[in-house]
Amino acid sequence: MTHDHSMARALRPARRRLRRGNGRSGWQWGLITGLCLAVALTFLSFLMPIEYRAERAVILVLCCLFLGLATGLCIPVSDARAARAADRNGLSERAQTALELEQSDAAMYDLQREDALAALNAFDARRIPMPGFKHPLRIQAGLCLLCALLLLLPDPQKQAVLERQAFRQELEGLQEKLEQAEDAQRETLSSVDRAALQKFTQALKKELAESRDREQAMLALSDAQERLEAERAKTAREAAVLAEAMRGAGLSEALAALQNGDRAALSEALQNAGTAALSAAAEALNRGNASAAAEALQSGGSALQAGLSQLSGALSAMKGGMKGAQQTGSSGQSGAQGSSGQGTGSTGQSGAGGNAFNNRQGGGGAGQGTSNEDAGYSEGAQQGGRRGSETGRYREKEYERIYDPTRLNASETALSAELERGEGDSAQAEAGTAPGTLGDTVPYRQVVAEYEQTAVQAADRAAVSQAERAWINEYFTYITQEDE
Amino acid sequence: MTDRTEIEAFASRFEALRAEIAREMIGQEEVVELLLLAVVAGGNVLLEGVPGLGKTHLVRTLSKVLDLPFSRIQFTPDLMPADITGTDILVKTENGSEFRFREGPLFSSIVLADEINRATPKTQAALLEAMQEHAVTAAGKTRPLPEPYFVMATQNPIEQEGTYPLPEAQLDRFLFKILVPFPTLEELNGIVDLTVKPGGGQARQVAGAEDILAMRRVAGEVPIAKSVQEFALRLVLSTHPELPDAPETAKGYLRFGASPRAAQAILSAARVRALTKGRYNVAFEDIRFVAPAALRHRLGLSFEAISEGKTADDVIALLLSHLEEGANAQR
């Protein structure tokens, strides 16, 4: 006797019937569960503000209904269960016995199996009763009624719900404004500043979106405002340092013009500073003192150049700070585009944080030519814009100490540049000789230009890849832009 | 191992027996069916009913249709064990005289123990070995009884002077206790017609000892599903009030419950009934059908049950419904 699972096949109609019954039970109980949850939700809406409670209740009911139906249909129906169901409905335990004896071979068992198969084949699966509608229907109707009554009752939380909706709309408006401000800034900012601004605005948007009430939203705005104020204060400190430096360089008039925003006056003041130096030189020449005249010219020129350089950096810093304050301040959520010192320069060595970076004139790429770490560049990168004023101080001293002696007397000094490309990876190239003596103080821009030229030439000569050459070019483009 | 023809012939043989008995026995279909079930299952039967209901006639008819040796013992208070088992008697032979065992009425295939509760417990006890082991020990020698062997006892339900209730140990040896009800009007009419008028029906032999033994062998192979067997065993267990999970019915109405022999009796009789119904497996309905006859004489009713007028059948019906509720709840 071969056992070909004929019992399983014969039980298939009974299994299908039971599965349908499971599905019916599933959706009925799912509906009851959903209605219970809907009633609970509606009841809860009397205690706390719940928006769209009717819609949510309907969704809850539908979800539970379909979940119940799916669960019911997915419940597997075993052969044993199908056999029991068939036996209860007229098969007199034939199916169960045959199923249990499927592996036996005695003549009695064969007869029993044949008898069971014949009975199953003649069995109408519709005799297996489906779960009734009556009882669950009563419960469902009762729950429906209760839910409808609760929804029809006046909602004591209606005002709170309306307020919350209004607040949400207000928040959406704020976020829209924030996006507009960010878009407007995007055009005028460098990539680093854009990233910083985007981070700032995203954090603010997130905080606003997460705030559940007005208080939390105000707290989020207040935090953002504090951060913005901190940026402004830092900008002001840096401007004060600059003003002090300009005064010390005899550029008080230029400083006044700068503070007034008068371009013409600024230009005139700078011209006057140069003229005064020339006058002193002429006077010395008239006295026959050539060396004094040269010294006067040199000091005048140096002072003028230093002043111009500092002025340029200050203008850039003030421009960025004022722009950020104006833009974000006007949108009502703190602009603060110049978050300081994020250290994400494309060359991997610059603390590129907005104002701080712009004021750190002595930092980026102003070394003697041996490495980026020279001249405090690395420190600027690591500490970022912490320390816009600190970096400026550092630049001023180190700049003069490092460059003056060598550049005055070492016209044939060999330069080398170690190009850092990341941790544990570096390339070194001969940079040739430095240009001739330019004076005991050398303007930053000039040094940068020379340095760039030397570095590019060295890179062209050296056996470095095209990508590394491009990287060097990018570096100088970057620091030149920052300086401007 | 039995072959298919033997199995398929079972129902027709059984039906022939029933039909032949019905020629002399008017009505009492359930009694006849239970009696035949016990015969095929190989058990002894205790028939209980008021005098004149045809108990003795039924047994006599059974012996006629089966063509088996039949003996009748009228139990009285002065009946002695040797009177039924047999005894050694001194017999004169050509060489002198010697003791020979003279078989008593127990040495028949069908023994009718009429009014068994009128005999003393000592004599009643003489039946125990014959009923259980189908053997008789007399004068220090054990002699087997012929197969098939049945003891059909009758007793009157009415308490009378000079009766001795059967002890539980002896009652337990009876596969069934069959209650013979009073006939209905139609049945009584038929009885009168059959017995008073001349030329009444005469039962004929339709099966022999070999047939009965073959039917018993076939019935022993009928399969039982686990759930069905468990149902029967749970039913027996539920009659024990001392068990921790006994139903309230048992705790309230029963003093003691049925022995494991009851479970054997239920299952073996249910197997036979399944075949008689054209099935090759035992169903719940078979258990429900044979359970009262197999259990009613094995239960000890409590004072509470007696005072409330509950019979053993009432208690069994309550226990069955309790079990079925539990089974339905599990489904």
Side-chain angles (χ1 to χ4, degrees), chain A residues 47-104:
Chain A
L47 305 175
M48 57 186 288
I50 296 176
E51 294 172 57
Y52 311 112
R53 56 179 192 156
E55 290 84 347
R56 285 183 179 184
V58 170
I59 289 169
L60 206 56
V61 168
L62 290 176
C63 284
C64 288
L65 189 147
F66 286 114
L67 195 65
L69 177 66
T71 308
L73 290 175
C74 289
I75 291 174
V77 178
S78 64
D79 286 345
R81 189 177 160 215
R84 279 199 301 275
D87 285 344
R88 275 201 303 276
N89 293 281
L91 261 61
S92 298
E93 285 66 60
R94 283 182 173 90
Q96 286 180 75
T97 311
L99 209 58
E100 287 176 17
L101 302 172
E102 211 166 8
Q103 303 303 318
S104 305

Side-chain angles (χ1 to χ4, degrees), chain A residues 384-403:
Chain A
R386 123 169 113 89
R387 334 312 158 206
S389 56
E390 192 178 316
T391 313
R393 178 175 50 78
Y394 184 83
R395 170 188 56 77
E396 188 179 2
K397 290 179 181 174
E398 293 297 342
Y399 176 82
E400 291 179 355
R401 184 176 64 77
I402 291 172
Y403 290 104

Side-chain angles (χ1 to χ4, degrees), chain A residues 81 84 88 91-97 100-101 105-112 114-115, chain B residues 1-2 4 7-8 218 221-223 225-228 275 279-285 331:
Chain A
R81 189 177 160 215
R84 279 199 301 275
R88 275 201 303 276
L91 261 61
S92 298
E93 285 66 60
R94 283 182 173 90
Q96 286 180 75
T97 311
E100 287 176 17
L101 302 172
D105 279 340
M108 178 68 81
Y109 297 162
D110 287 346
L111 276 171
Q112 199 280 327
E114 287 168 15
D115 181 40
Chain B
M1 185 141 332
T2 50
R4 293 175 77 110
I7 297 166
E8 284 162 346
V218 169
E221 292 178 11
V222 174
K226 282 177 190 165
S227 57
V228 180
L275 286 173
R279 269 185 282 108
Y280 302 99
N281 63 280
V282 178
F284 286 111
E285 61 176 277
R331 286 167 191 166

Side-chain angles (χ1 to χ4, degrees), chain A residues 169-315:
Chain A
Q169 282 178 353
E170 198 177 329
L171 276 185
E172 284 169 5
L174 284 176
Q175 284 178 341
E176 200 174 332
K177 281 182 185 175
L178 195 60
E179 281 168 10
Q180 286 171 358
E182 189 184 341
D183 290 343
Q185 291 280 13
R186 193 162 296 174
E187 300 296 325
T188 57
L189 291 178
S190 66
S191 61
V192 177
D193 288 343
R194 270 202 304 271
L197 174 62
Q198 194 175 7
K199 191 175 178 186
F200 178 84
T201 51
Q202 276 178 352
L204 182 57
K205 273 192 249 179
K206 190 181 173 190
E207 285 173 7
L208 286 174
E210 286 174 353
S211 53
R212 293 185 174 183
D213 53 21
R214 200 172 292 274
E215 188 182 351
Q216 284 184 4
M218 291 304 292
L219 278 173
L221 285 172
S222 175
D223 286 347
Q225 192 70 33
E226 278 177 18
R227 291 200 293 273
L228 179 63
E229 288 301 328
E231 284 300 320
R232 282 178 176 166
K234 194 164 71 179
T235 306
R237 281 199 303 276
E238 287 166 353
V241 170
L242 171 67
E244 189 64 30
M246 288 179 76
R247 275 191 210 101
L251 294 171
S252 301
E253 289 178 8
L255 176 62
L258 178 64
Q259 285 172 340
N260 294 331
D262 188 348
R263 283 173 180 268
L266 176 64
S267 176
E268 191 180 349
L270 290 171
Q271 205 170 357
N272 289 341
T275 308
L278 287 173
S279 298
E283 193 178 339
L285 283 171
N286 288 335
R287 288 200 306 268
N289 189 350
S291 62
E295 191 178 345
L297 277 173
Q298 192 172 355
S299 64
S302 298
L304 187 58
Q305 282 171 346
L308 284 171
S309 174
Q310 289 169 351
L311 181 62
S312 172
L315 280 172

